[in-house]
Structures are given as structure tokens and as C-alpha cells.
Amino acid sequence: MPSRSAVLVGYGLGVVSEDAAADAALLADLRRVLGSRARDNDFERGLYSRDGSIEGSPPAIVCLPETAAEVAEIVRICRRHGRPFLARGSGTGLAGGAVPVGRPVVVATSKMDRIVEVDTANRVAWVEPGVLNLDLSRALAPQGFHFAPDPSSQQVCSIGGNIANNSGGPHCLAYGVTTAHIAALEVVLPSGETTTLGGVEAEPAGLDLRGLFVGSEGTMGIATKAAVRLTPNAPAVRTLLLDFDDVSEGSAAVSAIIAAGLVPSALEMMDQRAIEIVEAFAHAGYPTGAAAVLLVELDGLPGGVEAGVDIVREVALKHHVGHVRVAADDEERALLWKGRKNAFGAVARIKPDYYLHDTVVPRSRLTEVLEKVYRIADAYDLIAVNVFHAGDGNLHPILAFDRRQPGVDERVKAAGRDIVAASIEAGGVLSGEHGIGLEKRDYMGMLFSAHDMYTQDLVRETFDPDGFANPLKVIPTGSRCSDSFHQHVPEGAWV
Amino acid sequence: MSDQVTASLASRIAPEVAEFAGVVGESGPVAVVGARTHWHVGGAADAGAREVQAPCGIWEHEPSEMTVRCGAGTTVAELGTHLARTGQMVPLDPVDAAATVGGVLACGFSGHRRLRYGYVRDLVLQTRHVDATGKVVTAGGPTVKNVSGYDLPRLLVGSLGTLGLLAEVILRTLPVPPAAQWLVGDGDPFAAFDLLYRPSSILWNGSHAWILLEGDPVDVAAEAAKLVPAGFDPCDGPPPIPGTGRESMRPSDLRVLAGTGGEWLAEVGIGLVHRHEPVPAAPVSSANAALMDQLKQRLDPDHRLNPGRRAW
């Protein structure tokens, strides 16, 4: 049974040389289907060589299909030419999931951006993968609904990308991550065949292939349409800002709020450096002297929301809160969120580049792991800024750096690895919402046994026995030989 | 520093799980038995298969983490009693609470409060199962949020133990709502669904509907007051939910059942009809059936796990 690396080895991974004749033949076939929407100019190949991570490698060809039929045709052409393909949404992913490996054909879904049908009777909307997350929620607003997952990148990230990464966001604390909001998926399988996984009916028959596909990072095929669930907009919303002189008091307040029986719709934390950066950008009145702030949002019916506000206030006082600020209106609420959602970009105020991490730890270990993050950053002479989903223990340490400094990339990667290790040692996991991609592929062995990964790869292989769909992501190469899962493609082989 | 951190999940396998793996062994057909409350689902188990039982016990419950780790053989009733002491729950809600956690998950049957609490598969954070080679496989993760690796837990939920035998699960817990109220009436349940904000359940038998409201007492009272003019009054609860057949349709298609006789109870907003008589499984498309057959072939090539059961 061929493993996916067989295609790439056969295809020359590690000695990936540009085969101009092969590329030209492939392009000619793709152009017959797509015309000028199949492109190989250097500018666009450069554009599609990177995602939101710090890795990069150009694809051979970029395709911009407009229909599911075109996607299926692209997949079939790629197979005929023995060439891997890689679906791409907006390229905001942070784990290298959309970084081309092995000179693939990139299938960019940005032109498939129609909201096909809003079906309020069944509380779903059928959308194409290129629809942007926030555009969908805006379109649903007049009917009183929204799409619950709300990554910080929601102004630019696509639903297809959300599906590939099983994306989260601040409000997933109460509403769950993307998989809980996808009823059905039309997908083009790596064989070129089109099928629908899941369904709008209560309990679609058979195995939950839909659940398997969501979060598979494009390694099981390309989603061409999705039935996303509509979440009713809450009648009442309250947003609170709490500040603390001590990070550990803030972390303890997080656990205490949850232990008090509340499930806030969002429970976010920012450390001192983050507060300063965000305030300089957003002018939201964040208390710049505080060691930590919590942004707490409660939504639902008004009685529960007001009772929740009282509970949060009480818990905060027990943990020596400085101030409890309750947003007076929607405008103030939006201002507080503007700071939070733009925190990552605002890091540019201290250093030109940043590397954003994503791990999860038990809430009770937040303080301890945060302290380790600061120590790790210090040890590698980097600046750590923390803005994260405290309510579900989802850490997002930002390592700020200047890429022009020689050797800094290695320090950033080494610090990242140490942060992942510290999180796992504390009983956590590799990723809460960004995915594994390339970034964490070779860390999978920190969490899973060789047999666990072998089993996962067997399941992936069911969809893609020949390794055409976004190869070499998620599972470390060599997982099929139980004792050698630490193997990986030689450094630089794919860049 | 991090080289010592290898396969952290694998290093924490409970002795009960390892023992279960030993019992399942490497060969010969095995049938996993829970409480036999869903024994009819997926067809009869092969009589020749050796019966095995998943371990039971609640092994870890940290209320402030809102997670619980238990053996798959634990009964839903026992789990509920344990969690209630700290004001928490896992809304599995099987028709018979004698059911085991593993049994409910293997069937993939969400409870009657799915409208508010979501699908049962979304309550599962981590699974440990024994595979066809007798080895323990861990998937998912212990934290409330996790996207590390492929989502095998969702594949196992609803697979009737034909891909692997659930040994241990980590589930997400929720706070028990401070107030709950059932109402009954002959008003339009579809209009009631549109009127309410996230009701917990709307059960309908074609003539009457039973509606469950949960949450803060003030909100429950206010939502209930909205229902009174629509023809609903407080009551103790719905009639017993038929436990044999589950007919699945689109939520909007339930309307066609209006006026049809028979002893059924439908979940409005979900599209599920509970019936006393068995309902044949809906067909699966040929492309999906091929994928499912391939998964079975790769994960259990000798068909030793729960032979006789058909999940598709």
C-alpha cells in the first residue's frame, strides 16, 4: 500500500527540482478547464507560497476555480500528472497548513464565495468555502442569526479554512468550535469523486465522516460547499473588563468563574505587555498599569446575564480585582473587543515580526505555564506577549522579534518547541484551534504514541491512499514504521 | 528540555484500560456488552463472538476544569449522580439511564435536550479505545479545546464498536441549570420554536407538544409566560420517549407528520422521530459507503470487532 511519502519521494521531494516541461504540460491541461484562472507567474506563486506562519515555499501553479465541478476537474488533472494539490482559503492559518510542499497545485477558493441558501426553517446556511467568516455573520444578522466560530482573523478568514482547521475563537467557550456548527459538507475527495458528508437531517446514517473531515487540514479532500448551522443572536449581552495587580489572581478568577457554574460566552485574558500594546492602538481605556485584565462576556436571556454579572463581580472581588468595568452600551463593548481582536497586529508596535503560538492547558495550570512562557522567552532573548482564551485554557503566547537579526528564526522555533513541551507537561495538548500543519507535525510524538499516530494515518489514508491531498501535513512522516516517527523531511527540503 | 516529553497521553493509561485491552486480546471475534439497553441497534451481534465489558468507574472529575474521565462501562445514572454533587451534568439523556456511557456513544444517540446542549459527539473530548490488534489507542485530548491530530473520537461515536471498543472517555461537563420547567399544550410547536431563545427540548406527538425551558429562574418564567398565550401550560414532563426506532429527517420535514396517528414523539428543531417500532436505517451514498468499508477494512481487517453489527 503506497504511503503518501511515496508520491513525494517519487515526485522528488528532497531533491525537488523544477521540471519545466512537466509544469508546462500540467498548466496546459489546467488552462483547458480554467483558462486564465490557472496561473504560474512568479508574483502569484510568491503570493501563495506563504500562509500566516513563518514558513514558505512556492507552488508550481495557482488555480482559482469558481465551481465544485472545476475543483473536481483540477483534482483529476493533478492525479493524472502525479502532482499533489493543496486547498487554500484566505491563507491566515498559523501552523503552515497552507504552505505548499512538493511543488503542488494550489486550489485557492477565494472565487467560490457565494452564500447559496439561507434556510432558516432548518437553521442552516449553504455556503461556498471562500465566504469570509464575518461576511457570513453580517449576512445572517437581519434574520437574527450568526455563525458562532469567531477567530480573531474573522474579517479575512474563510469558512473553508475554518472547516479545514476546526477553528475556534473567543466565543467558542460557550458555543463550541467549528465542528459543532457544520451540519454537512460537499467535498471533492482525493480520488476526484464528489460526495456529501453529514446532512441536514437529525442523524445522518453511517459513520460521522463529516466530523472526521472537519479539522483534517485539507488532507482528506477539498470542501466545495458547507451547510453551516445558524446560531440565534442572544437577546442580552454584557461585557466586563476586570483588572488585576497579579497574574495569578487573574488566573484564579478564571477558574473560580467557571467553578461558580457560569459558562461565559467568552473569557479572555491579556497580560501587562498586551494591555499596553492594545491600549496604544485601540484607546479603549484598558488599565495600562495592571498586571492582567480579563475580558468577560455573558450572553443569553437577560435574567441569566444579569445574575452572571453579579457572580463575576463577586468572584472578582474575592480575587482582589482592581476595577470592574461593565460596558455601558454596544459602542463601548465593540471598543473593548476591538482591542482584543486586533492585539496580534498591534504587536508590530514593539517588533516588526511575531510568531503566534497556540496550546491548551488545564485552567488550573495557567499561572504556572504562563510563568514558564516568560522564562522561555527570556532564555531565547525574545519578547513574550500573552493574549488568550483563558476560559478554555487556550494559550496564545506571541513571540515578538525582528527577523533581520541573524539567527533569530532558530531561537523563535526553539522557544516555540519549549512552550509546547511545557504545555504538554502540564497536562495540555499541542493545539487548541490553529491546527498541526507543518509547525507542530513533528511534535505529535510528544502527545501521541507511535501506534496512536499510525492509527490516525490509517484513517487519513482511507481518504487519500496515494498521498495527493496536502501531503506531509499533520502526521509526521514515517508514522507507518512504528519505531521511526521522529523522522521528517530533511530541513530545507521543501523550502 | 523537551526530549523527555514523549507520548504524554500514552504514558497515562489507566490499569483498568490496559486490563481491558488484555481481555480483548489480539484475535477472535469479540462483542462488547454494556447494559443491553440499546442491544437492538445495528442488528444482532454474532452469537459466536466472545462477550467483553468495558471498565467502569469515574476516575477523575475536576469541577473547575469542567471535564470528567470515566470508564466506558460506567452507567449514565452513576455518572449523573456523581456529577450532580458538584452541580454538574453531562446531558447524555438516554431513554434508559441504565445505559452505559460507552453504549450511548457507540450508538451516537444524542439526548432529547440536544436543541440546547448540542450533539452527543460534541461532548466527547478524548477517547481511548482498544483496536482490532488489542492495542490501546488514544485520540482527542483531555482539555476542553483541542485540535491535535485527526478527530477519531467523532469517528468512533456512532460506529457501534465496529472500528474499536471504547474503554475510557473524557467528557465535557456543564452546570446543571438553576431552573427547569416543562410545559404542555396543543399550540403550534414550530411557532413556539421560533418564539423562544434556545429552548432545551420540544417534543411533539402530532397533537400536543411538550416544551422544556432551562436556565435562570427569571428567564424560565419569562419564556414560559410567552408560551401561555400560544396555548401551553406548565406540566411535570413529557410521556415516556419511545426507545425502539429513530427516524431521522430534516427539521422542516417534521411538519408532514401533523395529523398522522400512531405513538410517536418527534424532536422539533432537530428532525428526529422516536417510534415504538424499529425504523430501517437510511441508505448511505455509494461514495460514502466505499469510504466506510475502507475504514473498516483498515481498522479491523478480520472483522473481529462486534461482528454482526452494521453501523451503515
Side-chain angles (χ1 to χ4, degrees):
Chain A
M1 200 174 293
S3 79
R4 60 175 152 177
S5 47
V7 165
L8 288 159
V9 169
Y11 185 60
L13 187 83
V15 282
V16 177
S17 54
E18 300 201 12
D19 182 338
D23 284 0
L26 176 59
L27 182 66
D29 277 0
L30 290 167
R31 285 225 162 122
R32 268 193 275 280
V33 177
L34 299 165
S36 64
R37 288 180 285 111
R39 298 171 187 173
D40 71 339
N41 63 72
D42 287 347
F43 173 71
E44 277 174 292
R45 287 176 56 236
L47 207 59
Y48 289 97
S49 68
R50 303 266 311 257
D51 61 6
S53 70
I54 59 175
E55 309 294 359
S57 153
I61 293 164
V62 177
C63 292
L64 296 159
E66 290 176 349
T67 64
E70 287 182 352
V71 172
E73 200 54 44
I74 293 167
V75 167
R76 286 193 285 264
I77 290 169
C78 284
R79 290 193 69 101
R80 277 208 300 279
H81 288 262
R83 188 70 63 112
F85 57 84
L86 162 58
R88 177 190 170 100
S90 299
T92 54
L94 291 156
V99 169
V101 175
R103 287 178 54 75
V105 169
V106 162
V107 184
T109 57
S110 49
K111 287 186 185 291
M112 297 175 70
D113 61 350
R114 291 176 310 144
I115 296 173
V116 179
E117 184 195 359
V118 178
D119 177 2
T120 54
N122 288 306
R123 301 263 170 117
V124 294
W126 283 95
V127 304
E128 291 183 334
V131 171
L132 302 187
N133 177 298
L134 193 59
D135 286 354
L136 176 58
S137 283
R138 283 193 179 130
L140 298 171
Q143 281 126 305
F145 295 101
H146 68 285
F147 179 59
D150 62 336
S152 292
S153 56
Q154 72 179 136
Q155 296 191 28
V156 285
C157 68
S158 69
I159 300 297
N162 295 167
I163 291 165
N165 292 296
N166 195 9
S167 301
H171 289 83
C172 291
L173 177 57
Y175 293 102
V177 293
T178 298
T179 186
H181 302 280
I182 301 296
L185 288 169
E186 177 193 88
V187 305
V188 173
L189 297 169
S191 63
E193 194 173 3
T194 299
T195 188
T196 299
L197 311 178
V200 176
E201 65 271 30
E203 294 179 346
L207 303 173
D208 185 16
L209 301 179
R210 171 215 63 90
L212 196 55
F213 191 95
V214 175
S216 64
E217 305 193 29
T219 63
M220 294 181 180
I222 302 179
T224 50
K225 200 163 71 166
V228 304
R229 295 194 190 282
L230 309 183
T231 301
N233 294 343
V237 184
R238 286 285 203 172
T239 306
L240 295 88
L241 189 72
L242 316 173
D243 61 82
F244 297 87
D245 282 344
D246 185 336
V247 173
S248 62
E249 286 287 7
S251 302
V254 170
S255 286
I257 288 169
I258 302 289
L262 282 187
V263 183
S265 52
L267 179 42
E268 302 284 301
M269 190 163 176
M270 288 189 222
D271 69 4
Q272 183 162 22
R273 217 172 256 141
I275 298 165
E276 283 167 10
I277 294 166
V278 161
E279 180 55 21
F281 160 82
H283 308 294
Y286 278 60
T288 47
V293 298
L294 294 182
L295 188 62
V296 188
E297 189 155 284
L298 300 154
D299 72 8
L301 292 163
V305 169
E306 294 311 322
V309 168
D310 291 344
I311 292 171
V312 170
R313 203 188 291 270
E314 217 170 280
V315 168
L317 286 172
K318 270 190 205 146
H319 289 92
H320 312 105
V321 68
H323 306 85
V324 177
R325 174 175 161 197
V326 184
D329 50 30
D330 281 353
E331 199 181 333
E332 188 177 357
R333 195 181 144 245
L335 192 60
L336 291 177
W337 274 112
K338 180 183 170 194
R340 165 62 186 90
K341 292 228 170 177
N342 293 286
F344 302 131
V347 168
R349 289 181 169 268
I350 52 169
K351 290 282 177 184
D353 301 289
Y354 70 84
Y355 191 54
L356 174 58
H357 273 276
D358 167 45
T359 67
V360 189
V361 298
R363 291 177 192 100
S364 57
R365 310 289 291 272
L366 276 175
T367 308
E368 168 199 336
V369 178
L370 277 175
E371 276 165 13
K372 278 192 183 164
V373 167
Y374 292 125
R375 280 207 300 274
I376 291 166
D378 282 348
Y380 289 100
D381 197 17
L382 300 164
I383 297 174
V385 182
N386 284 288
V387 185
F388 61 99
H389 313 310
D392 40 27
N394 189 182
L395 288 173
H396 281 325
I398 306 166
L399 299 175
F401 64 102
D402 183 344
R403 212 164 196 176
R404 291 166 300 190
Q405 282 183 359
V408 73
D409 279 10
E410 285 67 33
R411 282 189 282 129
V412 168
K413 284 183 190 171
R417 183 183 161 89
D418 288 357
I419 289 170
V420 169
S423 301
I424 289 178
E425 277 172 343
V429 295
L430 285 171
S431 173
E433 54 185 15
H434 293 177
I436 301 300
L438 283 173
E439 179 200 41
K440 288 177 176 160
R441 180 192 65 186
D442 296 336
Y443 302 163
M444 284 282 279
M446 289 189 196
L447 196 61
F448 295 110
S449 73
H451 187 66
D452 294 340
M453 291 187 286
Y454 167 80
T455 306
Q456 291 192 27
D457 203 40
L458 275 180
V459 169
R460 179 204 59 75
E461 189 192 65
T462 303
F463 284 76
D464 187 22
D466 306 315
F468 280 100
N470 200 10
L472 292 176
K473 306 289 172 66
V474 188
I475 302 287
T477 50
S479 291
R480 307 309 300 274
C481 322
S482 58
D483 57 351
S484 60
F485 64 88
H486 283 301
Q487 279 183 13
H488 56 87
V489 177
E491 196 70 29
W494 45 272
V495 286
Chain B
M1 61 171 275
S2 51
D3 286 340
Q4 302 90 330
V5 188
T6 47
S8 76
L9 290 182
S11 66
R12 290 185 241 140
I13 290 173
E16 293 90 338
V17 171
E19 194 187 324
F20 177 53
V23 171
V24 173
E26 294 172 15
S27 62
V30 287
V32 68
V33 181
R36 295 183 193 268
T37 55
H38 294 74
W39 200 241
H40 61 282
V41 178
D46 277 3
R50 182 166 51 92
E51 292 192 350
V52 297
Q53 282 182 305
C56 53
I58 294 158
W59 296 329
E60 214 172 337
H61 173 223
E62 199 54 63
S64 70
E65 299 298 339
M66 298 197 73
T67 59
V68 62
R69 182 168 65 89
C70 67
T74 311
T75 68
V76 172
E78 185 190 347
L79 179 65
T81 306
H82 183 95
L83 297 175
R85 286 182 210 138
T86 47
Q88 298 195 341
M89 63 175 186
V90 179
L92 298 172
D93 298 339
V95 169
D96 183 345
T100 63
V101 170
V104 171
L105 297 179
C107 292
F109 291 168
S110 302
H112 67 277
R113 293 186 292 172
R114 164 176 10 181
L115 209 46
R116 185 178 181 90
Y117 300 114
Y119 285 68
V120 67
R121 60 191 181 223
D122 297 328
L123 296 168
V124 183
L125 301 171
Q126 179 182 294
T127 54
R128 284 197 209 285
H129 72 269
V130 177
D131 72 6
T133 67
K135 292 194 179 111
V136 177
V137 178
T138 306
T143 53
V144 290
K145 199 176 192 184
N146 172 42
V147 292
S148 307
Y150 293 110
D151 201 340
L152 302 194
R154 279 185 178 71
L155 181 63
L156 293 171
V157 171
S159 68
L160 295 177
T162 60
L163 303 179
L165 306 183
L166 286 171
E168 176 198 289
V169 292
I170 298 179
L171 304 172
R172 184 180 184 145
T173 65
L174 294 167
V176 173
Q181 178 67 58
W182 281 98
L183 295 99
V184 64
D186 57 4
D188 178 357
F190 299 94
F193 181 40
D194 288 338
L195 188 69
L196 299 167
Y197 176 73
R198 300 184 68 199
S200 295
S201 190
I202 302 179
L203 301 173
W204 176 58
N205 70 357
S207 62
H208 286 76
W210 290 262
I211 300 177
L212 176 62
L213 304 173
E214 292 183 300
D216 183 83
V218 174
D219 298 328
V220 169
E223 293 281 281
K226 284 204 264 178
L227 285 173
V228 172
F232 293 91
D233 294 303
C235 72
D236 289 340
I241 298 173
T244 305
R246 291 167 83 92
E247 185 182 3
S248 176
M249 54 178 79
R250 297 190 314 163
S252 61
D253 292 341
L254 282 181
R255 286 175 187 275
V256 304
L257 294 173
T260 63
E263 301 269 309
W264 50 269
L265 210 50
E267 295 185 31
V268 172
I270 299 294
L272 190 68
V273 190
H274 299 270
R275 296 187 182 276
H276 286 294
E277 58 282 5
V279 175
V284 171
S285 74
S286 61
N288 291 1
L291 286 169
M292 293 173 196
D293 290 343
Q294 279 291 314
L295 278 166
K296 175 71 177 173
Q297 186 56 34
R298 283 185 163 77
L299 297 175
D300 181 22
D302 299 328
H303 290 243
R304 63 177 297 245
L305 302 178
N306 268 358
R309 303 281 189 203
R310 297 281 306 174
W312 64 95

